[in-house]
Amino acid sequence: MTTPATSRPPRTVVHLRAAVAIGVVCALISAFVLIVPLRGALDDERAFRAAVACAPGDRGDDCLWTVTARVERTERKKGGRRSASFWLYLDQVDGKSSRTRLRGHEHEFPGARPGGRVDVTYWRDQIRYVDFPGERAYTTADPRGDWRLFCAWGLGVGLYGLGFLVVTAWWRRRHHISRRAYSWQYGTPLLGVVFLAGVGALAPWPAGSPGEAFLVAGAAVPVVAAVCAVAVRVVRRGESGDDTVAVTPAFPAEERVFPGVIVGEVPYARADGMLAAGPTGLATTPDPTGAALRREASPALTPVRARPPYRTDPQFPDYGGKALVLECEDEGVPVLVVTQRKHMRWVLGALRRPAGVP
């Protein structure tokens, strides 16, 4: 059957452009995160680990200086559902009041009770750790390990973007393997890309350095590629042959109105709106009640077969990926009726109502 003509670009072109744009944006974001914030976090960690105690009377940015303080009070940080933390308010012996945030709950630190004496250590004008009696607690300003968040973002977003570009390039060269607009042969590699991006985002957390995280992500690439290659071959065999979808007609006793469109060079075609299927036949309407601005389908509209959407189809709503296409003919004119899969039975019932059925 010939697809109804359309002046709009094929959906394949639109999808390819969107895919390339997504891949390029992700790659640029990843490059920025890995070059700028990640490098800065690593430099801060190295500087903090190499810092030594300041000379008497010196409070420079790159040395550690410690002050004795008294705990005034504690206050649980509001909104921290994922990781508990609390504020520690301090009165320092030099007369300065300060506060710092510690991870965990107050009861986990017996020395954090009001009136307790602690030593707080500064680096670059921020409290980096607190020495309680017999215990050292690093604050949330501790720069060690901050690189992991930036590395996770950089690897996750970067692998997703690069994988998106690779799959898109492969699909552009091999799109003839399936006519379907939502082929699993395209979706399967994309699932692999998502999984690979997840590995990249998780790799930095147990790793001791960005290099280890990159090695873990790199080792996952051939594994994911091999699994996707096998899955594509399996799915390709499942999609070969006739792609007609079997739909059992349902004959509505009263009119049903649901989202749907009719595409073709016929007077009752409508690119958006609703379909009304009932005992009198099929109609298009922009009215959810089905009462206003109706366009009744011709009695000569004859269904041929139901199938999935094709990339070469005119643009129409995909209904969240659940669209089904009914190929029809109206005195030799090709017509497509598109609606959600669950509603297609009512369309067929309205077009194939046997004689004598009320």
Side-chain angles (χ1 to χ4, degrees), residues 154-170:
L155 279 177
V157 175
L159 288 173
Y160 181 81
L162 291 177
F164 217 92
L165 289 175
V166 171
V167 172
T168 301
W170 170 80

Side-chain angles (χ1 to χ4, degrees), residues 130-217:
V130 179
D131 286 316
F132 296 101
E135 181 183 14
R136 172 170 292 180
Y138 284 87
T139 70
T140 55
D142 178 13
R144 300 174 307 162
D146 285 352
W147 61 268
R148 289 186 171 88
L149 178 61
F150 300 115
C151 190
W153 271 101
L155 279 177
V157 175
L159 288 173
Y160 181 81
L162 291 177
F164 217 92
L165 289 175
V166 171
V167 172
T168 301
W170 170 80
W171 179 253
R172 189 175 184 274
R173 295 176 60 89
R174 302 292 304 277
H175 66 271
H176 60 275
I177 61 179
S178 176
R179 295 180 297 174
R180 300 188 183 189
Y182 309 105
S183 172
W184 278 104
Q185 295 171 14
Y186 183 59
T188 301
L190 282 183
L191 288 177
V193 169
V194 172
F195 178 79
L196 187 61
V199 172
L202 294 176
W205 301 106
S209 66
E212 292 182 9
F214 275 85
L215 286 176
V216 172

Side-chain angles (χ1 to χ4, degrees), residues 11 43 118 159 171 181 183 196-197 229 244 274 289 295 310 331 349 358:
R11 63 179 63 211
D43 290 342
V118 297
L159 288 173
W171 179 253
S183 172
L196 187 61
T244 299
M274 315 291 288
T289 67
R295 298 177 185 174
Y310 289 162
E331 296 182 350

